[in-house]
Amino acid sequence: ASAGPQVSRQTVAYASGNLGLSLVSGLLDFFRAKVYLTVFLLSENWFQASQLVAMLWSTLISLAVSHVQDSRLTDRRKWLLYAAPVYALAFSLHWFRWLPAVNIGLQLVLTDLMFQLVDKCVRFAHASLLIEMSSQTATRLSQLWLAQVPYMAACLAVPLANWASADLANLSAFQFCAVLASIVALLSVMYCGWQCRTMYDCRTVNLCHPGGACSAASGLGQPIRLAEPGLLQNLRRLFTDRLFLCVLALKFAHNFHMGFGAAFLPMLVDQLDPPGPGAAMGAGAKSLFYLASQLLPALLFMFCYPCLARAPLADAALLAAGLTVTTGGLFYLAGPELALWQQLAYLLLDGAIVGLNCNLQSLAVVEVADRDRRRWSRDRPMSALIASLYLILASKAFNLQSMLTVHLLAPYIGSGTAPGQSARVGPSGRSVVLGLAGAIPLITGLCELALWLYFRRWRAPPLAPAAAAADPDTLLGCH
């Protein structure tokens, strides 16, 4: 195992793409509802309708785009280079009345349709790079490690934009920040497409070694065959792979847990430290706490890199799931009696472990793609299709979790909450909110423990030294 992460032009380019994606998704997730409900005064019915249309469109377009990327237009670099300008434009259009003669709700629907399409083009191409840039676990782990740095930088965009616009009181200032973020996203995604090379690029064009250093055994100069099966046959093959289904269930359990923290963290903090004259934390302190909850998962993953580089993937994931079960169970039993700092520390620790698990599951998805390629003797993995299926399920887990939590809290939510503000739960619902904060990690953690045990049992054994020496990444040197 290497002593530290491998930093190269390729890994830096991959991390650059993560900067653009994190910047756009962070600002859009945080400000979209708030801008349209409180600034553009969109009705709740229109907003809910736009959500439904976007959800259905996202599912359909995900399968279509991923299939085209895997079977027809397989050059990930071109997708990143050519889609980046439209990606930045579609993001910027969210924040302007660019169709003044049209109802603002219809404008939101049209903008979402365009953004969802180009977002899938960019996101799936970038996700495929983790699978196709290298077949070596150390290189892939280095890609994830370095990608945490731009992610943490992107986390600062939300509080900075909120501060610059005085909590959206100055819309022009916010629009300027959004346009600036779109320019940064455009440049970072284009740089990723310009610099990144996959193993399969090197099999057709000698990009890594212009002087002809690629081995003849790599198939240099021989075109890669397009994937023969259609979309339905590829889906059938994937859903008959028990390892794929195991990781699919892992992603569902993980995103169900992660969704609770992402959507209800402000409500949890307000229950632990109710706003008012006697509050222990002011607005500034709470903002710093929310920022720390976003940065700590990335810092934990970077700190744990030496251990992750040596330990088997399933063993590291089992340890993380065990910590989730332990801390969740303790908080469920004793959470209300703990001191405020202990309760807040638990929320930070739970969020950090969730972030660590997210990266470990990314490596599990990579193993599924490798296994599928070997099992069906494919010329290249179905990277985009596999990534799209996991992203679709992740969004559905998030939506289901939000609906279930709101249903459980509905009897306790106070009336009169203004649009764009977090719902307030009355004192009688405090025990329910804190109970969910312990029960959800406990239940999902137990599910993840069982699934990681199955994963360790069903995964393919490591390559033998002779097979590793003949690996395409070793032959081509595409790092």
Side-chain angles (χ1 to χ4, degrees), residues 36-326:
Y36 277 88
L37 292 173
T38 64
V39 178
F40 292 153
L41 302 180
L42 178 67
S43 69
E44 184 178 349
N45 289 337
W46 262 108
F47 186 79
Q48 296 293 354
S50 70
Q51 292 284 89
L52 178 61
V53 172
M55 194 163 54
L56 295 175
W57 172 253
S58 174
T59 302
L60 294 175
I61 206 65
S62 294
L63 295 174
V65 169
S66 61
H67 180 64
V68 171
Q69 287 193 359
D70 283 336
S71 62
R72 295 293 182 266
L73 306 174
T74 58
D75 191 338
R76 315 300 183 190
R77 300 173 58 249
K78 290 181 179 179
W79 284 95
L80 294 170
L81 285 170
Y82 298 152
V86 189
Y87 181 66
L89 175 63
F91 168 72
S92 298
L93 289 179
H94 274 95
W95 320 115
F96 294 89
R97 284 290 273 121
W98 57 280
L99 288 176
V102 176
N103 180 283
I104 185 64
L106 182 57
Q107 176 188 302
L108 175 60
V109 170
L110 294 175
T111 307
D112 278 345
L113 293 180
M114 179 170 61
F115 177 79
Q116 290 281 357
L117 173 60
V118 71
D119 177 66
K120 298 300 179 287
C121 295
V122 173
R123 194 169 295 277
F124 295 160
H126 184 262
S128 299
L129 293 177
L130 181 64
I131 300 172
E132 298 177 4
M133 283 175 63
S134 173
S135 62
Q136 303 298 313
T137 301
T139 304
R140 289 165 168 171
L141 194 59
S142 297
Q143 288 176 245
L144 290 175
W145 182 89
L146 195 60
Q148 306 307 306
V149 178
Y151 165 78
M152 289 190 290
C155 288
L156 300 175
V158 169
L160 287 176
N162 203 48
W163 169 79
S165 64
D167 197 18
L168 293 181
N170 188 345
L171 180 62
S172 299
F174 173 76
Q175 289 171 334
F176 174 80
C177 293
V179 171
L180 185 62
S182 69
I183 295 173
V184 174
L186 166 66
L187 297 176
S188 61
V189 172
M190 290 192 72
Y191 179 78
C192 177
W194 178 42
Q195 292 291 339
C196 282
R197 300 291 185 271
T198 71
M199 298 180 288
Y200 307 96
D201 296 329
C202 297
R203 289 175 60 183
T204 54
V205 181
N206 199 349
L207 295 172
C208 294
H209 304 283
C214 283
S215 167
S218 66
L220 179 62
Q222 300 176 6
I224 299 176
R225 298 192 311 269
L226 301 179
E228 296 87 355
L231 175 60
L232 293 180
Q233 187 173 357
N234 281 326
L235 289 174
R236 183 184 63 80
R237 288 179 173 182
L238 284 172
F239 280 93
T240 57
D241 184 355
R242 58 186 181 181
L243 190 68
F244 169 82
L245 295 176
C246 177
V247 178
L248 203 66
L250 271 172
K251 293 292 286 186
F252 185 88
H254 171 262
N255 282 278
F256 193 94
H257 178 190
M258 185 172 64
F260 180 78
F264 296 95
L265 184 62
M267 181 186 294
L268 280 168
V269 174
D270 285 347
Q271 287 300 309
L272 297 176
D273 185 30
M281 300 171 64
K286 286 186 178 180
S287 297
L288 289 176
F289 176 82
Y290 299 143
L291 180 60
S293 70
Q294 292 181 298
L295 297 179
L296 278 179
L299 291 172
L300 178 63
F301 179 75
M302 298 180 75
F303 177 78
C304 293
Y305 175 87
C307 298
L308 296 176
R310 297 182 180 90
L313 170 62
D315 292 351
L318 283 169
L319 177 60
L323 286 174
T324 299
V325 171
T326 304

Side-chain angles (χ1 to χ4, degrees), residues 12-49:
V12 170
Y14 177 82
S16 172
N18 197 51
L19 172 63
L21 292 171
S22 301
L23 196 61
V24 167
S25 62
L27 289 170
L28 198 62
D29 291 345
F30 189 86
F31 286 108
R32 179 177 173 273
K34 195 171 185 179
V35 166
Y36 277 88
L37 292 173
T38 64
V39 178
F40 292 153
L41 302 180
L42 178 67
S43 69
E44 184 178 349
N45 289 337
W46 262 108
F47 186 79
Q48 296 293 354

